Amino acid sequence: MTTVNVRYIVRDVGQAIAFYTKHLGFEVQMHPGPGFASLIRGNLRLLLNTAGGSGGAAQAMPDGQRPEPGGWNRIQLEVEDLAATVAQLQSAGVRFRNAIVIGNGGQQVLVEDPSGNLIELFQPTR
């Protein structure tokens, strides 16, 4: 399967690296400087750029608007046991935007990285 790339704008790349590697199973693929890192988890490559940095992903749009972290778009990571994962992350002080939601396809919860970017943890109905 081909690697899928997702880019997140973050306030602090080092802080984001620590969060994604410690809590969500990512590995550092590349970290050439303070404003950029590439993390990998399976076929997902997460590209982290600082807001207001010198890289292309942080450049202002023609109308002057600058990329910033947060919002509602998110990556989804499938987990085996959502309740256990939530308990483990809560004990580590990870921030959640909501409680576990049960839907037709399974259960989900929204986790915030240190910059407010969302990660959906999802346990499908089996």
Side-chain angles (χ1 to χ4, degrees):
M1 182 172 189
T2 304
T3 300
V4 174
N5 295 309
V6 174
R7 186 178 309 276
Y8 270 175
I9 305 299
V10 298
R11 289 183 193 86
D12 183 304
V13 170
Q15 189 179 36
I17 289 170
F19 174 82
Y20 284 99
T21 57
K22 179 179 179 181
H23 300 299
L24 299 176
F26 283 83
E27 295 179 13
V28 176
Q29 183 180 42
M30 177 180 24
H31 185 207
F36 175 78
S38 173
L39 308 182
I40 195 104
R41 181 178 190 252
N43 292 326
L44 173 61
R45 182 179 296 124
L46 185 58
L47 307 171
L48 303 170
N49 287 85
T50 54
S54 60
Q59 298 302 308
M61 300 294 107
D63 67 358
Q65 185 178 7
R66 298 199 63 94
E68 60 184 48
W72 288 96
N73 294 321
R74 57 193 179 255
I75 57 174
Q76 182 190 75
L77 303 176
E78 192 171 307
V79 298
E80 289 293 320
D81 184 339
L82 186 60
T85 302
V86 166
Q88 178 184 12
L89 293 173
Q90 284 176 330
S91 70
V94 172
R95 291 185 317 225
F96 289 82
R97 193 170 282 186
N98 65 340
I100 293 175
V101 175
I102 300 172
N104 294 332
Q107 302 175 52
Q108 66 177 3
V109 70
L110 299 177
V111 175
E112 292 185 356
D113 78 5
S115 296
N117 294 306
L118 290 179
I119 303 95
E120 177 182 321
L121 301 177
F122 180 73
Q123 178 183 336
T125 301
R126 304 243 186 254

